Amino acid sequence: MAKVLKGVQVFAPATVANLVCGFDVLGMALQQPQDVMTMRLREEPGIGISHADGYDLPVEPEKNVAGASLLALLEEYPEKAGFEIIIDKKIKPGSGLGSSAASSAGAVVGANYLLGNPFTKEDLVRFAMNGEKVASGVKHADNIAPCIYGGVTLIQSIFPLNIVQLTAPPMYVTVVHPQIEVRTSDARQILRKEVQLKAAIKQWGNIAGLVAGFLKNDYDLIGRSLEDVIIEPVRSILIPGFDDVKKKSKDAGALGGGISGSGPSIFMLSKEEYVAKGVEDVMIDVYTRLGIEFKTYVTMVNYEGAKVQVIS
Ligand SMILES: Nc1ncnc2c1ncn2[C@@H]1O[C@H](COP(=O)(O)OP(=O)(O)OP(=O)(O)O)[C@@H](O)[C@H]1O
Ligand SMILES: N[C@@H](CCO)C(=O)O
């Protein structure tokens, strides 16, 4: 058994990628749920992974997204280092709530702390994108960036990486996670490779409107811009109850919402807590009628991102 040294606990939040119209470029961190990871530096180089949950995820560093992200970090670290990591997932894999990103981002945030913070946040996003490549076959940062920076982030470019942290007004986020698994890799494969100009114009109007709405604290503009004419019509077919949840949530006063990441979770934004709770009732009603198991969360935007706590 490797000898272990100083340790930390990392709390890595769930994230909503895309924010409806911003496929691969927008994301938001949530206060709940959060993965918990216990990490220690060890004397021997390399990465030891174990699990404190029942998800049976890989322990080989190159197959686990946390390990793949740490390997990328170690490649740029000038000295030899090694980590022991225990992953306790509270965000179910394949949920559309950034489960893979929470492990990838949480691992590099913890490692950076243990090494004395040699890397910038942007470096950490770059390392953690290697985990997303393992999970979905492509590097994308719209879950990773909000998980590390907190709040709402815009990925203006991936190569070269350019992350813009946006301000956003306080918002309640109601989430329903129907207990079916949609793998991001599958949900990406079904997308059309080409887009009609008319649809593109609508979409970039909405992305610009959403970003402006966040910056101006304009809830009406945020609501009007939460529309996706490219990805949602294709992916929503994979999610039973989607149209019903969306329509009834808006009738209940939500600003708007849609598929969280690649699904199957659905999220809705609300200005007031009582509306967010009414939206939860709508979600419970739809999935109870459908006879599909589900989990709901009423939470808020998380402005801090992944947090580190030192343990003895
Ligand atoms: N530590 C880990 N945490 C979560 N998933 C992992 C981990 N290591 C490997 N995986 C694999 O990554 C895949 C889950 O990632 P995927 O991107 O499909 O789900 P998600 O992160 O919940 O969704 P989204 O990115 O849309 O929010 C599964 O195939 C899982 O086995
Ligand atoms: N932008 C990605 C997020 C999923 O993790 C997608 O929608 O495929």
Side-chain angles (χ1 to χ4, degrees):
M1 178 72 185
K3 188 176 168 202
V4 291
L5 302 167
K6 192 173 123 183
V8 291
Q9 268 198 332
V10 186
F11 300 86
T15 44
V16 172
N18 303 335
L19 290 176
V20 182
C21 51
F23 180 69
D24 277 2
V25 301
L26 287 173
M28 171 189 277
L30 304 183
Q31 290 183 5
Q32 289 301 327
Q34 302 202 354
D35 274 4
V36 183
M37 261 174 280
T38 308
M39 293 184 72
R40 290 179 197 278
L41 272 177
R42 68 180 200 191
E43 282 173 350
E44 296 77 6
I47 297 153
I49 297 177
S50 52
H51 296 283
D53 52 51
Y55 291 120
D56 203 24
L57 291 167
V59 291
E60 301 89 339
E62 55 294 335
K63 291 192 189 153
N64 192 295
V65 300
S69 307
L70 289 174
L71 288 171
L73 177 146
L74 286 175
E75 254 179 51
E76 291 191 27
Y77 188 63
E79 291 160 42
K80 283 201 184 321
F83 305 99
E84 288 292 334
I85 167 165
I86 305 168
I87 304 174
D88 188 0
K89 294 208 75 68
K90 311 284 185 201
I91 312 166
K92 198 171 174 186
S95 57
L97 291 171
S99 175
S100 48
S103 285
S104 307
V108 294
V109 166
N112 194 40
Y113 187 93
L114 289 167
L115 296 173
N117 295 311
F119 296 110
T120 64
K121 282 188 176 176
E122 204 167 276
D123 290 332
L124 299 183
V125 173
R126 211 161 32 77
F127 302 142
M129 282 200 299
N130 290 278
E132 291 296 57
K133 178 116 198 264
V134 169
S136 67
V138 269
K139 288 186 175 181
H140 59 90
D142 49 343
N143 291 108
I144 299 281
C147 189
I148 289 177
Y149 285 74
V152 178
T153 51
L154 164 70
I155 321 303
Q156 186 271 334
S157 157
I158 289 212
F159 305 114
L161 189 60
N162 183 17
I163 295 159
V164 183
Q165 194 164 20
L166 304 175
T167 58
M171 279 174 291
Y172 290 88
V173 190
T174 316
V175 176
V176 62
H177 174 201
Q179 303 287 295
I180 48 173
E181 187 183 352
V182 173
R183 284 176 182 249
T184 302
S185 49
D186 297 338
R188 292 183 83 89
Q189 253 165 20
I190 59 169
L191 299 176
R192 292 190 203 103
K193 301 286 172 282
E194 271 145 34
V195 171
Q196 293 281 328
L197 182 60
K198 206 170 140 196
I201 292 167
K202 189 91 189 133
Q203 197 86 351
W204 59 57
N206 281 333
I207 298 171
L210 189 58
V211 170
F214 286 142
L215 298 181
K216 291 164 59 134
N217 292 355
D218 184 335
Y219 289 100
D220 288 339
L221 181 56
I222 291 171
R224 282 201 304 283
S225 307
L226 286 167
E227 177 198 30
D228 172 5
V229 295
I230 296 175
I231 311 293
E232 183 181 291
V234 183
R235 281 186 172 170
S236 58
I237 292 157
L238 303 174
I239 309 171
F242 178 80
D243 291 338
D244 224 12
V245 165
K246 200 170 151 184
K247 185 181 175 309
K248 289 179 177 160
S249 297
K250 279 176 133 176
D251 291 347
L255 298 168
I259 303 172
S260 177
S262 60
S265 291
I266 306 169
F267 81 103
M268 300 300 299
L269 299 181
S270 303
K271 193 173 163 189
E272 292 99 358
E273 188 177 16
Y274 78 90
V275 175
K277 288 189 169 158
V279 169
E280 183 185 33
D281 291 339
V282 162
M283 293 168 167
I284 292 171
D285 183 58
V286 169
Y287 282 99
T288 306
R289 278 169 199 268
L290 283 172
I292 294 173
E293 269 186 59
F294 62 92
K295 202 163 179 171
T296 55
Y297 303 90
V298 178
T299 185
M300 291 192 84
V301 183
N302 171 341
Y303 294 100
E304 280 182 298
K307 263 195 333 205
V308 174
Q309 228 170 56
V310 178
I311 53 172
S312 50

